[in-house]
Amino acid sequence: MRLLPLLLSLLALPLTPALPAQRAQAPDEAPPQDSFAVRCGTLLLGDGETALRDAWLVVRDGKVAAVGADAPPPELPVVDAGDRVVMPGLVAVDTDLVAADDGDYTVTPDVLAIDGFDFEARLWDALEGGITSAYLSPGRERLVSGQGAVVKTAGRDLVARVLTENACLRVNFGDGGVQAPRVFEPTVHPTDEDPLEPARVQTPTARISVLAELRALFADAAGRALSSDPTSDPANDPDGAAPLDAGLRGTGSSENRFDPSALRAVTSGRLPLRAAAWRAADIRRALQLQRELGARTVLENPQEIAPLAEAAAAQGLTAVFRMPVLLGRGNPGGEDRAQDALEPHFDAPARAAAAGMKVAVAPWQGMPLRDYLVAVALAVRHGLPRAQALRAVGGDAAAILGVDARVGTLAPGKDADFVVLSGDPLAIGTMVESTWIDGRRAFQRRTEGQLLAVRVGAIHDGAGNVVRHGVLLVQDGKVKAVGEDLSVPYGARVIDLPDAVMTPGFVDSFSHLGLAGDGTGVPNGAADQRLDLAIAHDDPMFRPALEAGITTLLVSGRDGGLVSGRVAAVKTGARDHDGMVLAPVCGQRLVFDAIGPDSQKPLQQLLERGKKYAKAWTDYDKALAEWKAGKKPAPAVTTAPPADAAAADPVTGTWEAELDIQGQFQVKVVVDLRLEGTAVTGTVQMSVRGRDLPPVDITSGSFANGRARLEFSVMGGTAVIEGAIADDVFEGTVQMGPMGEQAFKARRTAKTSGGSKTRSRGKESADGSPKKPDVDEALEPLRQALEQRAALVVRVQRFAAIRAVVELLTAEKVPFVLHDPDGLLDGELLPDGVRPPVLLEPDVVREDGPRVENDAAQLADQDLPLLFGTGDCAGARFLPLHAAYAVRYGLAPDRALLALSANAARAFRLEHRIGTLQRGRDADFVVFSGDPFEPTSRVLLVGCNGAVAVDNREVTK
Amino acid sequence: MKAIARSFAPLLLAAAALTQTPTAPPAADDGGLSLEVWHPNRPATEADYQVARWGPRGLPSPGYVFRADKVLPVTGPPIQDGVVVTRNGTIEAIGRAADVPVPDGYELVDCGDAWIVPGLVEAHCHIASKSFDLNDTVHPTNPEFRTLDLITLDHDQIEMARAGGVSTALYIPGSGSNMGGFGTITKTWGRSPEEALVRFPGSLKIAQAGNPERGAGDLGSGMMGMSDGIRQTLLDGKRYHDAHVAFEQGRGEKPKFDPTLELLRGLFRHEFPLSVHTQIYQVVLQTLTELRLELGLWTVIVHGTFDGYRICEDAWRAGMPVANGPRQYYFDRDTGCLEGLAANWYRGGAHGWRTPVRGLGKDGIGINTDSPVVPQEQLTLQAAMAVRLGLPHEVGLRALTINNARFFGIDHRVGSLEVGKDADLGVWSGDPLDPRSHVRTFVVNGTICYRRDPNRPAW
């Protein structure tokens, strides 16, 4: 039993839908050896300048062995970074990884930041940001905070992770340095001779005495006098041997409690000084101290450096900045005018760099370290040259921290600390894909290519807009965004076709594809045909049409008689049956060309029947709504349980199977199925070691040609069982997300359905609910048209008949389409304002004596919305060329494009799904190498339901 | 002058002696100097200074000829239709427009009906830094502190100083402790604090009574204790100074360098004075006896309010001037009179004595703001108030310029419009002591650093 939770987690983890940019850390997935070669799309070396294309980074024993274009020795394993950018692991010049509170005492040169660092903590945030070396600060307040350290952000050997534990001595010139608390040092057993003293004030309490205090501290520690005046003669300080009693007059018990060796190390030049100073006046004092001490000095976050940058540069100071913004969260400050708010200066790094200072950049306190590079990019926005920005996390950062001998750049002999980036280091959508420290992978991001971004030269969105430099973003099969030069979020699969032109997927408004018979030809149409069930999503006839850019077919059988076939809308590039069926019913074809008295009568009668049928449903819906509201208890109606009619079919019944998951777990699967047409419904129940999990419904099931496919949900993900059914054996595979495929073999243990829940869910019932009308498939298309959910397609020729149809259907407010209405070409016009859509077959260009007439152009000029249909099977693929042919003879290209997309969608009430590339619509698109109507243009890509169904880019090359 | 000082040296500590004065106050303005500031050891030239450091002069600035209907040199008679010629931070010529030609390459700046007035000298300022961190009131005496490192010249308050016509300011520590540290004399504009420096130290700030008093026992709470703390610290400096003198005269070892005492040594060399926060007759008397007479220091009173003016004749005899402010009046409960402080210091009078005493005269009185206690741009309003309460108009002008410059030993650089002095001048819409007047254009070290925009507030 103890294994159960483990199994559940096993099932749950991989099946959880992946979020964009989902983290999946695999810290110990070390590369094959510590010696390997990385093939890099671009290799940045950390000097800000060098960017090697298609280069190699060779790692041996955790160190960089070589960088450059030379191929590595064949025996080395290769880590292929593809077209990615590889750069040195980031050196973070300031972090808040040490959460040590500042102590009470304000002079603590012997405090070590390293002592506050938790080596056991896993620094995902830093590793995800690509940070391999991080500065640790010894507290933030207090005058002399202590000594900073630099550590690697991951690694097995704790000692080796420490680059230096004496990186600097931090001194605070800001508010914190003059706001130390009073310290209370009680005598344990107070006596008259050793009384309790009041809490002692710690100096300095004001800026006027900061330098005086520091001078005294360093002078005492150094055992020599420091000049208080930079211009005074050094000869005044001849001996400098004995400790100098020139400090403040304090005599508190803590005054000499610290070990002053760090102070001495600063005065002797062995330890750099890190001076925290935001305001210009504070920076000035830091410069003054540097002049007096001569110590190597780093300014920490000198936001007001601008007026002093040249002086600081002349004194050889460096600076680390924090970019003063919190992205994605509130930024406090300025609420109280009376308070002296510190104004942030985003251009401070740029100003310092321009003056010649070496600078490094870090994000603001509170920003996640994973966004480190965004902060650096902001410095570039505010003027820091790109090369310096890259050095600010590379070579310069390492030099400022004094660890450049080992990290910061990629050169032979340096530590093999590097990151693989998805793109340019300073781009907003770029993410660290993997982080490597000492030749070992410390972080690996798992990315799901859920998001698709297609960048083209122009997008015709089908709604009349042309978007230059267009980007189409697709997610979950739908259009997420269309726009000019959209930023591409991280994790997106990007397809770049800068010269190409995108249009919506084309619609063949009159097609027989998928209905081809086997030795019998396309069947005649009928209103009650369940075309959605008859057509297979993987019919090979779809492929050529799909490759021509036709993503949607309005399918019907052959016309014949007034009431011809129903029209169904199907996708050509769908991956499954559900994806194929856009609308089981989207129209009803009619053939009508009668003229004369009462000639409309059959049409009117048809409409009356339809209206009656539709009314039965509206009445039912109304009664049901009232019943649900409890207003009108209906008389009890007993309904016989549905007869178990499927006993004889090959699917219905109970199936049992044993699954073996990775050789460790045996799972029993019981599947209860019921076949209706080609649809399969039912439940799936799993049992682990005798314990039953709750049964789940089959969300999508089909059975055709002896093969069944069942989709259902497990732990929030989708699982699929697929296989052949024959002689009570169901054999195939079960696919459960990333857990992969398992063999599946089930036997039918009963030939009657156990009464699956999906089936028993209330239709009519004995509970008094109103009786549901019987479905009349023959009238369903008509009802849907009357309810504005489909269109009547009327094949009509003579003008008088056209006019009669238009008048009748307009009055009845039924959506309709005129199919090849030749009568409209004779110069007679429809009434003003009546402009029904017109569906044309390919023969629009006719020779009339010496002239060439273009029916399409003529009808378009009458402002009639055009639709194109081929009426073909194999010939459906030429639909776009027919449109191009019409364009050749005068049809406006924009009209032609509408005819292939938006007009069809609108006429058949499918515009909420297809026809335009707008947010929320199905992501059906075509990308041409050039103008869609140029015969030289090729189809490069076709997307259907958000997936790239056709990719001819390579062929084109 | 030294003779006078020496005659006072064995002093007159008794009040009776102090009252043995002429029965009538001498005339205040009798030509020449009415008060000689006492600093007998002061080095003759800037080059002779050992401890204090002087800021740069002659920094590059364009050649200008400022012309106006009236030019007030302060140290000389007003010039109608006058010009001031400046270049490289220095006044090159001054005179009637008709007599002084515009040199080649100089720009004529015609100021029309304006008055050209010397840049004003503020003797008591706390605003030459954006930070107001001027009091570290932990220990009673802090000779190791200095304002030099705090100066910033690009913030609102110092910009207002320029708009108010103030070009030179003595920026001193606060009065939270008895010895707040060393002040700095700085121009109110410069490309950097280093360029703006006039002299460091400008003075040593000492505060007696009043502000440094603490009830909690953490700092001195009585006059005697505070005076002794000041005395002992200064005596440390004096011993250090004496050792240097001995060394220079070949009578001893060279003393070990001490950065704190090194600056105190400058006091005894009279390289710079004390700025003494002192007020009320009794306290000012202590200033006179302890600091000026006992320790022999160059001493300037920088408040001198309440009834401190009653000591004016003794101060005059001792060569101890007063930079008066920020209060300009005192309500005397005994008499029910509203006394004008500057006027009383200047003129002398009975002031409760049986016989009237002599005043400091036209050269002994300065006026200050203690900015930001009174905003820096209101320095002229302080003088206007003094004039309203009895100070002659001409003395009011001197109290803002040459007098303050002389008290602190910088009159060879600033305080009046004279050839060879720093080119600091304000172009005023009228009489600076008229409250309706304002600065139109302001020049520091020969550079135009402020122009009033009539469409905007003055600052």
Side-chain angles (χ1 to χ4, degrees):
Chain A
M1 294 302 280
R2 258 180 258 141
L3 277 171
L4 180 67
L6 184 60
L7 172 68
L8 292 184
S9 61
L10 253 177
L11 286 171
L13 243 179
L15 292 179
T16 302
L19 298 168
Q22 181 194 12
R23 298 186 205 179
Q25 297 89 0
D28 298 323
E29 281 177 31
Q33 290 88 15
D34 286 349
S35 300
F36 55 95
V38 186
R39 196 170 75 89
C40 316
T42 302
L43 177 59
L44 307 177
L45 297 184
D47 59 358
E49 311 285 349
T50 316
L52 307 172
R53 308 284 169 197
D54 299 323
W56 291 92
L57 169 66
V58 181
V59 176
R60 284 190 192 276
D61 301 326
K63 298 280 182 188
V64 176
V67 290
D70 297 339
E75 73 272 13
L76 277 185
V78 170
V79 174
D80 192 349
D83 60 351
R84 303 302 203 227
V85 177
V86 177
M87 69 182 283
L90 273 58
V91 178
V93 286
D94 208 345
T95 68
D96 300 291
L97 291 174
V98 171
D101 289 334
D102 292 283
D104 280 353
Y105 293 113
T106 200
V107 179
T108 54
D110 43 358
V111 161
L112 299 179
I114 195 86
D115 290 341
F117 181 64
D118 180 1
F119 282 94
E120 299 301 319
R122 296 220 154 171
L123 308 177
W124 296 132
D125 191 33
L127 293 168
E128 193 180 350
I131 294 161
T132 54
S133 299
Y135 168 77
L136 308 176
S137 184
R140 295 286 176 193
E141 307 300 322
R142 308 297 173 259
L143 184 66
V144 179
S145 315
Q147 298 172 53
V150 186
V151 296
K152 296 281 183 86
T153 51
R156 290 197 176 89
D157 184 342
L158 303 192
V159 175
R161 279 179 66 181
V162 181
L163 286 164
T164 171
E165 56 183 42
N166 311 102
C168 60
L169 180 70
R170 184 178 188 275
V171 171
N172 188 349
F173 285 86
D175 291 341
V178 293
Q179 290 171 351
R182 292 179 177 223
V183 287
F184 180 49
E185 295 152 328
T187 305
V188 181
H189 298 291
T191 61
D192 282 356
E193 289 75 33
D194 191 8
L196 273 181
E197 300 281 355
R200 185 171 58 80
V201 176
Q202 297 190 90
T203 54
T205 66
R207 280 172 163 80
I208 191 170
S209 54
V210 166
L211 267 182
E213 179 94 38
L214 291 173
R215 277 190 198 105
L217 283 169
F218 284 111
D220 279 347
R224 66 181 174 90
L226 291 165
S227 164
S228 71
D229 184 336
T231 61
S232 71
D233 186 359
N236 285 337
D237 180 15
D239 43 19
L244 176 72
D245 183 22
L248 301 180
R249 309 282 155 110
T251 53
S253 56
S254 75
E255 231 77 353
N256 293 304
R257 195 169 266 180
F258 53 80
D259 172 1
S261 56
L263 296 167
R264 200 174 301 128
V266 170
T267 58
S268 64
R270 284 179 283 121
L271 186 64
L273 199 63
R274 184 160 167 132
W278 176 310
R279 299 169 196 260
D282 295 342
I283 299 167
R284 281 192 73 234
R285 278 191 294 285
L287 298 189
Q288 174 70 26
L289 186 68
Q290 194 278 333
R291 281 197 294 271
E292 295 177 23
L293 292 176
R296 193 156 71 82
T297 300
V298 185
L299 294 171
E300 182 178 297
N301 204 21
Q303 291 281 312
E304 294 181 1
I305 187 71
L308 294 157
E310 292 194 357
Q315 285 179 229
L317 269 69
T318 56
V320 300
F321 294 92
R322 305 193 84 172
M323 295 309 286
V325 63
L326 295 175
L327 298 174
R329 61 201 71 193
N331 285 263
E335 292 83 3
D336 183 354
R337 250 175 228 286
Q339 284 189 352
D340 182 18
L342 290 169
E343 190 62 26
H345 294 267
F346 284 91
D347 61 345
R351 300 288 289 271
M357 293 178 74
K358 188 171 283 189
V359 302
V361 179
W364 203 244
Q365 184 165 10
M367 274 279 283
L369 286 172
R370 65 168 181 272
D371 299 326
Y372 202 97
L373 280 171
V374 181
V376 177
L378 282 177
V380 174
R381 161 188 275 202
H382 291 277
L384 187 67
R386 180 187 161 86
Q388 264 164 316
L390 292 176
R391 288 205 300 273
V393 293
D396 284 358
I400 286 172
L401 295 180
V403 292
D404 48 331
R406 284 182 60 187
V407 300
T409 51
L410 291 174
K414 297 281 174 79
D415 291 3
D417 296 356
F418 60 94
V419 291
V420 179
L421 296 166
S422 65
D424 183 275
L426 303 182
I428 188 74
T430 294
M431 292 282 170
V432 170
E433 302 207 327
S434 57
T435 303
W436 304 65
I437 295 178
D438 296 325
R440 287 178 178 269
R441 184 166 54 201
F443 167 79
Q444 173 72 50
R445 181 189 303 274
R446 174 166 298 166
T447 57
E448 300 291 338
Q450 284 209 319
L451 202 61
L452 173 68
V454 186
R455 291 198 276 228
V456 294
I459 295 177
H460 297 266
D461 69 354
N465 306 308
V466 180
V467 183
R468 302 281 165 200
H469 305 292
V471 179
L472 172 78
L473 292 182
V474 177
Q475 194 166 33
D476 298 331
K478 301 288 184 187
V479 175
K480 186 181 174 75
V482 172
E484 184 176 330
D485 281 336
L486 295 180
S487 292
V488 176
Y490 174 72
R493 176 186 169 205
V494 180
I495 299 178
D496 261 317
L497 292 165
D499 301 320
V501 179
M502 179 186 290
T503 69
F506 294 153
V507 182
D508 185 348
S509 296
F510 179 46
S511 174
H512 301 310
L513 268 187
L515 293 177
D518 207 353
T520 57
V522 174
N524 287 331
D528 58 355
Q529 285 166 332
R530 288 293 304 272
L531 299 178
D532 53 317
L533 300 180
I535 299 172
H537 78 275
D538 51 357
D539 190 321
M541 292 192 77
F542 286 158
R543 189 70 197 174
L546 180 67
E547 293 196 334
I550 299 157
T551 54
T552 302
L553 305 168
L554 305 185
V555 185
S556 56
R558 291 198 184 283
D559 286 343
L562 172 63
V563 183
S564 290
R566 73 159 59 174
V567 185
V570 297
K571 296 283 185 81
T572 55
R575 287 179 169 168
D576 52 33
H577 187 264
D578 279 359
M580 179 195 77
V581 180
L582 175 58
V585 182
C586 70
Q588 169 69 54
R589 294 190 62 84
L590 305 170
V591 179
F592 177 84
D593 206 28
I595 55 174
D598 290 338
S599 61
Q600 295 180 21
K601 205 166 183 180
L603 203 51
Q604 279 171 333
Q605 285 170 343
L606 181 66
L607 285 177
E608 288 309 319
R609 265 169 52 216
K611 282 199 271 189
K612 192 176 163 194
Y613 174 66
K615 186 169 184 300
W617 279 95
T618 46
D619 287 350
Y620 165 74
D621 289 342
K622 199 175 153 194
L624 184 67
E626 286 178 354
W627 175 79
K628 278 183 179 162
K631 283 180 186 172
K632 189 178 169 188
V637 176
T638 51
T639 309
D644 198 350
D649 75 53
V651 173
T652 303
T654 305
W655 301 76
E656 292 183 16
E658 296 277 344
L659 287 185
D660 183 77
I661 296 181
Q662 295 174 347
Q664 293 186 27
F665 304 100
Q666 283 70 47
V667 181
K668 187 179 178 191
V669 183
V670 179
V671 186
D672 189 51
L673 298 179
R674 182 175 179 81
L675 182 68
E676 286 171 316
T678 59
V680 180
T681 58
T683 59
V684 177
Q685 183 174 35
M686 296 199 193
S687 309
V688 184
R689 298 179 68 123
R691 183 166 178 135
D692 293 345
L693 305 183
V696 292
D697 288 345
I698 292 169
T699 52
S700 167
S702 62
F703 177 71
N705 303 327
R707 291 187 68 82
R709 188 174 190 284
L710 310 173
E711 276 186 33
F712 55 98
S713 297
V714 176
M715 306 291 182
T718 302
V720 178
I721 299 175
E722 201 164 12
I725 293 184
D727 301 332
D728 295 341
V729 175
F730 184 1
E731 189 162 10
T733 58
V734 56
Q735 176 93 28
M736 287 195 281
M739 274 186 68
E741 260 186 12
Q742 307 284 334
F744 178 85
K745 187 173 182 180
R747 293 185 183 282
R748 182 149 68 167
T749 54
K751 292 198 177 182
T752 53
S753 166
S756 68
K757 283 191 224 160
T758 46
R759 206 169 164 282
S760 62
R761 265 183 211 136
K763 306 272 181 176
E764 314 94 47
S765 67
D767 59 3
S769 57
K771 185 175 188 312
K772 198 172 177 176
D774 289 332
V775 174
D776 185 344
E777 290 288 357
L779 290 174
E780 272 297 305
L782 209 50
R783 173 188 158 211
Q784 300 218 9
L786 287 161
E787 291 175 355
Q788 311 290 322
R789 290 185 282 135
L792 300 181
V793 188
V794 189
R795 190 191 276 271
V796 55
Q797 286 193 314
R798 290 181 282 191
F799 184 77
I802 293 170
R803 193 168 56 193
V805 167
V806 167
E807 279 175 2
L808 177 66
L809 296 181
T810 305
E812 297 285 352
K813 296 193 172 69
V814 186
F816 67 96
V817 176
L818 302 176
H819 185 122
D820 272 349
D822 293 349
L824 292 179
L825 300 165
D826 300 335
E828 292 190 81
L829 298 176
L830 291 172
D832 281 351
V834 179
R835 293 291 179 269
V838 171
L839 196 166
L840 298 179
E841 287 192 53
D843 52 341
V844 294
V845 177
R846 294 177 288 117
E847 286 177 20
D848 186 5
R851 290 189 307 160
V852 175
E853 297 284 351
N854 183 347
D855 296 351
Q858 195 182 333
L859 293 171
D861 288 346
Q862 292 180 31
D863 280 340
L864 294 164
L866 298 188
L867 285 59
F868 285 133
T870 59
D872 286 333
C873 284
R877 71 191 74 175
F878 300 122
L879 177 79
L881 284 181
H882 296 318
Y885 194 59
V887 169
R888 172 175 166 87
Y889 286 100
L891 176 63
D894 59 328
R895 301 289 165 140
L897 190 59
L898 286 174
L900 290 173
S901 54
N903 286 354
R906 211 169 287 137
F908 285 91
R909 298 298 192 260
L910 299 168
E911 67 266 36
H912 61 292
R913 294 282 302 274
I914 62 165
T916 54
L917 291 172
Q918 289 174 292
R919 181 182 164 74
R921 306 291 201 279
D922 290 6
D924 297 348
F925 57 90
V926 195
V927 179
F928 291 90
S929 61
D931 185 289
F933 296 119
E934 286 299 332
T936 51
S937 296
R938 286 191 54 116
V939 171
L940 302 177
L941 284 181
V942 181
C944 186
N945 287 344
V948 175
V950 174
D951 187 347
N952 282 331
R953 286 177 293 165
E954 291 297 327
V955 179
T956 310
K957 275 180 194 168
Chain B
M1 184 192 75
K2 286 186 180 177
I4 298 172
R6 283 194 201 99
S7 71
F8 275 87
L11 218 282
L12 309 164
L13 287 169
L18 285 170
T19 57
Q20 288 173 4
T21 50
T23 53
D29 297 310
D30 48 1
L33 288 174
S34 58
L35 178 139
E36 292 273 5
V37 180
W38 187 84
H39 42 52
N41 303 334
R42 186 186 175 208
T45 69
E46 289 185 1
D48 298 327
Y49 276 66
Q50 289 183 7
V51 177
R53 177 159 62 96
W54 288 90
R57 294 193 78 189
L59 296 169
S61 75
Y64 288 121
V65 178
F66 296 94
R67 195 214 68 82
D69 282 7
K70 192 163 189 172
V71 174
L72 289 186
V74 174
T75 47
I79 304 166
Q80 300 294 336
D81 191 15
V83 293
V84 182
V85 181
T86 71
R87 188 160 181 272
N88 288 345
T90 310
I91 296 173
E92 293 186 332
I94 182 167
R96 288 171 53 85
D99 303 337
V100 180
V102 178
D104 282 348
Y106 283 58
E107 182 186 345
L108 175 65
V109 181
D110 193 333
C111 305
D113 62 352
W115 294 30
I116 292 179
V117 178
L120 309 180
V121 180
E122 168 61 89
H124 191 149
C125 151
H126 296 304
I127 53 114
S129 171
K130 197 173 182 181
S131 148
F132 197 59
D133 269 7
L134 288 170
N135 284 299
D136 187 80
T137 53
V138 178
H139 306 296
T141 60
N142 300 285
E144 63 278 5
F145 298 171
R146 62 191 208 183
T147 59
L148 179 67
D149 312 308
L150 294 171
I151 295 171
T152 52
L153 298 173
D154 52 355
H155 57 95
D156 294 351
Q157 288 187 316
I158 201 81
E159 284 165 13
M160 285 155 77
R162 302 196 278 268
V166 178
S167 61
T168 304
L170 172 53
Y171 174 50
I172 49 179
S175 49
S177 63
N178 293 125
M179 187 182 289
F182 291 91
T184 309
I185 301 175
T186 177
K187 294 289 176 77
T188 57
W189 176 88
R191 291 174 189 86
S192 68
E194 290 76 15
E195 281 195 7
L197 178 69
V198 177
R199 189 185 69 214
F200 175 79
S203 68
L204 174 68
K205 175 71 180 285
I206 283 180
Q208 294 181 299
N211 290 1
E213 291 175 17
R214 291 285 191 285
D218 50 346
L219 276 182
S221 58
M223 283 295 294
M224 289 188 296
M226 291 195 291
S227 290
D228 192 50
I230 295 169
R231 175 185 288 112
Q232 295 308 326
T233 304
L234 290 172
L235 284 175
D236 281 350
K238 185 163 192 317
R239 280 188 285 273
Y240 185 72
H241 166 71
D242 290 344
H244 268 274
V245 173
F247 168 68
E248 283 161 12
Q249 294 174 350
R251 291 185 286 109
E253 295 284 301
K254 182 176 183 185
K256 185 175 292 179
F257 177 81
D258 184 318
T260 304
L261 299 180
E262 180 71 13
L263 291 179
L264 287 176
R265 188 166 74 93
L267 282 175
F268 298 92
R269 290 177 48 80
H270 291 177
E271 294 190 2
F272 48 86
L274 297 172
S275 286
V276 188
H277 165 107
T278 180
Q279 59 218 335
I280 308 172
Y281 172 76
Q282 190 185 354
V283 182
V284 182
L285 177 63
Q286 196 166 13
T287 307
L288 175 73
T289 54
E290 179 182 341
L291 301 176
R292 163 61 194 84
L293 300 177
E294 177 193 334
L295 290 166
L297 298 174
W298 174 3
T299 306
V300 181
I301 300 166
V302 291
H303 285 296
T305 47
F306 300 96
D307 64 344
Y309 56 80
R310 295 175 66 208
I311 205 170
C312 57
E313 180 165 328
D314 302 307
W316 169 73
R317 287 183 195 284
M320 182 174 73
V322 59
N324 181 216
R327 281 191 194 84
Q328 284 301 326
Y329 53 86
Y330 167 61
F331 180 71
D332 187 336
R333 288 196 174 85
D334 294 338
T335 63
C337 288
L338 196 65
E339 303 284 344
L341 293 178
N344 284 3
W345 276 108
Y346 155 74
R347 206 168 39 214
H351 302 330
W353 308 119
R354 276 173 303 190
T355 46
V357 295
R358 192 193 195 283
L360 296 175
K362 69 179 172 60
D363 299 309
I365 176 75
I367 285 172
N368 68 46
T369 60
D370 195 2
S371 61
V373 176
V374 167
Q376 186 62 70
E377 71 280 9
Q378 294 181 14
L379 180 59
T380 52
L381 299 188
Q382 287 280 97
M385 179 65 83
V387 170
R388 175 183 166 86
L389 294 172
L391 190 70
H393 181 279
E394 185 235 342
V395 180
L397 274 177
R398 296 177 71 87
L400 298 181
T401 53
I402 189 65
N403 284 5
N404 283 339
R406 190 173 284 136
F407 299 167
F408 291 94
I410 51 172
D411 52 313
H412 59 294
R413 288 194 174 204
V414 300
S416 62
L417 298 180
E418 293 176 64
V419 172
K421 282 198 177 184
D422 291 359
D424 300 345
L425 56 90
V427 177
W428 287 77
S429 62
D431 178 5
L433 299 191
D434 182 338
R436 295 169 298 181
S437 301
H438 60 259
V439 173
R440 288 177 177 164
T441 302
F442 197 57
V443 178
V444 173
N445 286 348
T447 300
I448 298 174
C449 59
Y450 169 80
R451 272 200 180 89
R452 187 166 194 247
D453 180 346
N455 299 317
R456 298 180 59 194
W459 46 77

